[in-house]
């Protein structure tokens, strides 16, 4: 989206929220209009009014309008908090910490940009209708570092799982074909037995033996593949859990290191402050003057000894 710099999915989410805000705004404006209309119908029934009567009417109208506007502002703030809560909840599922810049909320240029976008979407006669869709969960925002690696690992595990499922389906299909072939051979053997008698018995026994070996081999391969798939699935789940634990441990270590660094900085600041205060005391200045005099005396004695 050229106007706000978002993709198509997020554009639809913004449009849905703006549509909700517009409807609420329209309802409140109608409420304010009805306040003035009620005042006209109930109080403005005489041709002349005194100053006190006009003041009373305006004060009553001010109280009603103030209440309506305050209610709408409070409701808008609470609505925005719920919207942020949805975004933060989805981010926390991926161990992300989102940040907001409150100063950007008063950026006049951005506000005008949003106003132009609303005008283009809701007022223009050529605006295309947006199809309402289900509300899927948002994808992680600005992934990086360990979270990005974890996401890639999950995608790789999902692809591996799909490949194993495809292989399992192939083996099941082979087993089904083998069973179908076995049924065909059994019917063929029954037909030959009716025609050839004792000779059919020998052929049937031989074919059944070969077919049994084939089916046993296919069953063994199928069972082995199934076991391998189960082991791979367990291993993938364990690796995923380990990766999540490692991520949490690293985040905890970073938090502890930050706290230790802050404590050290505070201690250094206190030491420097104490040293500065000590240098400003009278005892320190007297000691410094005494040392300076002693140094001058030593220099004078050295010059005399040298002469």
């Amino acid at each position: 989206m050229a106007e706000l710099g978002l993709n198509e999915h997020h554009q639809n989410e913004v449009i849905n929220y703006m549509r909700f805000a517009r409807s609420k705004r329209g309802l409140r404006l109608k409420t304010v209009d009805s306040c003035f209309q009620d005042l006209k119908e109930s109080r403005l029934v005489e041709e002349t009014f005194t100053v006190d009567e006009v003041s009373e009417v305006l004060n009553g109208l001010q109280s009603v309008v103030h209440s309506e506007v305050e209610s709408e502002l409070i409701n808008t703030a609470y609505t925005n908090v719920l919207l942020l809560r949805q975004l933060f909840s989805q981010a926390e599922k991926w161990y992300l910490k989102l940040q907001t810049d409150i100063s950007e909320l008063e950026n006049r240029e951005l506000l005008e940009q949003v106003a132009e976008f609303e005008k283009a979407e809701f007022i223009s006669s050529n605006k295309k209708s947006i199809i309402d869709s289900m509300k899927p969960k948002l994808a992680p925002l600005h992934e990086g570092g360990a979270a990005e690696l974890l996401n890639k690992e999950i995608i790789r595990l999902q692809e591996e799982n799909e490949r194993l499922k495809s292989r399992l389906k192939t083996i099941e299909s082979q087993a089904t074909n083998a069973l179908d072939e076995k049924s065909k051979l059994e019917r063929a053997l029954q037909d030959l037995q009716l025609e050839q008698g004792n000779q059919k018995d020998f052929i049937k026994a031989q074919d059944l033996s070969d077919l049994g070996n084939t089916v046993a081999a296919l069953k063994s391969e199928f069972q082995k593949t199934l076991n391998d798939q189960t082991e791979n699935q367990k291993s993938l789940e364990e690796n995923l859990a380990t990766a999540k634990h490692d991520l949490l441990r690293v985040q905890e270590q970073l938090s502890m290191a930050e706290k230790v660094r802050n404590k050290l900085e505070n201690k250094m600041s206190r030491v420097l402050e104490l040293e500065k205060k000590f240098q400003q005391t009278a005892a320190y200045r007297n000691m410094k003057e005494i040392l300076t005099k002693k140094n001058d005396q030593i220099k004078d004695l050295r010059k005399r000894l040298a002469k």
Side-chain angles (χ1 to χ4, degrees), residues 202-297:
F202 176 77
I203 296 174
K204 178 180 179 181
Q206 185 67 30
D207 290 341
L208 286 177
S209 178
D210 295 339
L211 183 59
N213 294 333
T214 302
V215 172
L218 288 174
K219 286 183 178 180
S220 177
E221 182 180 358
F222 175 76
Q223 186 64 33
K224 181 180 179 181
T225 302
L226 186 61
N227 293 335
D228 293 341
Q229 182 192 13
T230 302
E231 293 178 357
N232 290 335
Q233 185 71 18
K234 291 181 179 179
S235 177
L236 293 175
E237 292 176 354
E238 291 176 356
N239 291 336
L240 179 58
T242 301
K244 289 182 178 179
H245 291 315
D246 292 340
L247 175 60
L248 292 175
R249 185 171 61 255
V250 169
Q251 290 177 343
E252 183 178 1
Q253 291 176 354
L254 289 174
S255 178
M256 292 179 63
E258 183 66 19
K259 291 179 180 178
V260 172
R261 185 177 67 82
N262 292 335
K263 289 182 179 179
L264 289 176
E265 289 179 353
N266 292 333
K267 289 183 178 180
M268 290 297 296
S269 177
R270 293 196 198 99
V271 170
L272 292 175
E273 184 178 357
L274 290 174
E275 183 179 356
K276 183 177 180 181
K277 290 181 178 179
F278 176 72
Q279 291 178 358
Q280 294 175 356
T281 60
Y284 177 80
R285 290 195 297 269
N286 293 336
M287 182 65 68
K288 188 173 182 181
E289 291 177 358
I290 292 172
L291 290 176
T292 302
K293 292 179 180 180
K294 292 295 182 181
N295 289 332
D296 293 339
Q297 292 177 2

Side-chain angles (χ1 to χ4, degrees), residues 153-191:
E153 180 66 15
I154 291 174
I155 294 174
R156 187 187 67 80
L157 295 177
Q158 291 175 347
E159 293 176 351
E160 181 67 19
N161 191 28
E162 292 296 330
R163 286 196 295 269
L164 292 175
K165 288 181 179 179
S166 177
R167 184 179 177 187
L168 179 60
K169 289 181 180 179
T170 302
I171 295 175
E172 289 177 348
S173 177
Q174 293 177 354
T176 302
N177 294 334
L179 292 175
D180 293 340
E181 185 67 22
K182 177 183 177 182
S183 299
K184 292 179 181 179
L185 290 175
E186 287 179 348
R187 288 194 296 269
L189 288 174
Q190 291 176 357
D191 295 338

